[in-house]
Amino acid sequence: MAEIIQKDGTWVFDGDALRLTPGRDKNVGLLRRELGELLVPLAALAGISFEQGKKSGRLRLRLRDGADPLLHATGGRLAEPHDPYQLLVEPDRYGVAEYFVDEVRNALLLDQVPSGPVDAYLLPGPSVPLSVSAGDGIAHFDGEQVRLEWKWQAEDAKSAAGPRTLPLADIVAVEWQPSAGLENGHLRFTVRAAPGKVPPKYDPNAVELWGFKRDPLMALVAAAVQARLPHPSARPAAEDAGPAGESPAPAPAPAAEDDHDALLRRLRELGELHRSGVLTDEEFTLAKQAILKRM
């Protein structure tokens, strides 16, 4: 097991998953505190890195595309204090951080976890019910429907129509966009049969965000809804079924020769990585032994 404890948070790796717990330091972002502890399975990881700095270092996790509904809904636009997949590291713990990175990388290598996209969420998303007040509205989500209520600052185009209820079955997509410069942000729901997009300021299916402290919390609502929508990479059921809705035939099991050839190819790839200096002698030996056992 590998563990690193900092004021910014605590990361623990047990070989199968990483447990990310936000710290109580005043610099920890509001979103991370509200999101709470995250359990990230090894299969959801695409990589990990550590960057040293003069005053502090930074651990970063890179997740596979499509593994986390929070990252999908926010489009990678979470700012540094709110990103749960970054951890500030104090200089006297640089050695611990490097050891942590080595342990995770070795596990990814030994388990041969691919770094490509996935077609199903590997993290569950925030728990519900959720209620967040920010910008010109309040967003509630109970797992089945979204309810939008408007504050007195909202435009007449919204407030005159009163609160709006959006059943989950009618929501096609959700997007969270932070404010940037003079541009306001938004939490927007794309709904079936709705007219074309209008500015969030006037859109009854969007909450406009003005760059205040609680804006990032709307990303929790976006992620909770996204986690309950069909995965964007999942194939429609009709594509999986055979003629006249018949169940698809099971895929044939790969031949033993194919498995053997794949393992030989993997050994050659490891040798190339070792020769190029990407893998240390110890990492190469561990990975080679794991493959030889499978052969």
Side-chain angles (χ1 to χ4, degrees):
M1 185 179 77
E3 180 182 59
I4 181 166
I5 303 174
Q6 295 290 275
K7 291 187 294 184
D8 195 43
T10 299
W11 286 12
V12 179
F13 177 56
D14 63 5
D16 296 317
L18 290 97
R19 189 176 300 275
L20 316 179
T21 306
R24 297 182 179 180
D25 188 73
K26 63 180 181 179
N27 293 323
V28 176
L30 185 59
L31 173 64
R32 285 179 60 197
R33 294 202 299 268
E34 291 294 325
L35 190 59
E37 187 175 86
L38 283 178
L39 188 65
V40 183
L42 186 65
L45 286 185
I48 183 172
S49 64
F50 175 60
E51 306 160 3
Q52 292 190 16
K54 292 183 179 180
K55 294 184 177 180
S56 64
R58 191 180 306 277
L59 275 170
R60 296 179 189 267
L61 291 181
R62 183 166 59 88
L63 271 61
R64 299 169 65 185
D65 288 343
D68 181 20
L70 174 63
L71 292 183
H72 184 84
T74 58
R77 293 182 289 264
L78 285 175
E80 174 188 315
H82 305 292
D83 187 346
Y85 302 116
Q86 296 188 34
L87 182 71
L88 290 178
V89 179
E90 298 170 2
D92 62 346
R93 289 294 180 269
Y94 281 2
V96 177
E98 291 170 349
Y99 171 76
F100 192 93
V101 168
D102 288 342
E103 288 293 294
V104 176
R105 284 179 176 171
N106 286 338
L108 290 171
L109 188 63
L110 292 175
D111 286 11
Q112 299 186 36
V113 177
S115 59
V118 297
D119 59 6
Y121 293 123
L122 301 181
L123 281 85
S127 58
V128 294
L130 271 172
S131 182
V132 176
S133 173
D136 67 353
I138 304 171
H140 310 273
F141 180 54
D142 61 5
E144 297 181 356
Q145 63 182 18
V146 174
R147 180 177 172 84
L148 301 177
E149 299 176 357
W150 309 115
K151 299 181 181 178
W152 65 267
Q153 301 99 323
E155 291 292 320
D156 290 343
K158 292 181 176 181
S159 57
R164 187 166 182 80
T165 299
L166 308 175
L168 186 62
D170 292 344
I171 298 175
V172 177
V174 58
E175 176 191 50
W176 174 84
Q177 174 78 49
S179 59
L182 299 178
E183 296 292 328
N184 290 333
H186 62 261
L187 169 68
R188 187 197 298 271
F189 299 95
T190 302
V191 181
R192 289 186 178 87
K197 284 187 177 180
V198 297
K201 186 175 184 177
Y202 306 103
D203 188 350
N205 297 322
V207 175
E208 187 182 38
L209 303 174
W210 301 320
F212 296 147
K213 182 179 179 180
R214 294 184 61 84
D215 284 9
L217 293 183
M218 281 294 183
L220 295 177
V221 178
V225 173
Q226 184 68 57
R228 290 160 177 80
L229 295 177
H231 193 279
S233 298
R235 292 182 301 172
E239 294 182 11
D240 295 332
E246 296 177 1
S247 298
E257 294 82 2
D258 294 340
D259 290 343
H260 190 267
D261 289 344
L263 292 174
L264 287 176
R265 287 195 300 271
R266 183 59 180 160
L267 276 175
R268 287 194 291 270
E269 292 171 359
L270 288 173
E272 293 173 0
L273 292 172
H274 182 230
R275 286 190 293 274
S276 63
V278 175
L279 294 179
T280 64
D281 292 344
E282 183 180 359
E283 290 171 339
F284 173 68
T285 300
L286 288 172
K288 183 175 69 173
Q289 288 175 352
I291 292 178
L292 291 176
K293 287 180 181 179
R294 294 183 61 183
M295 295 177 67

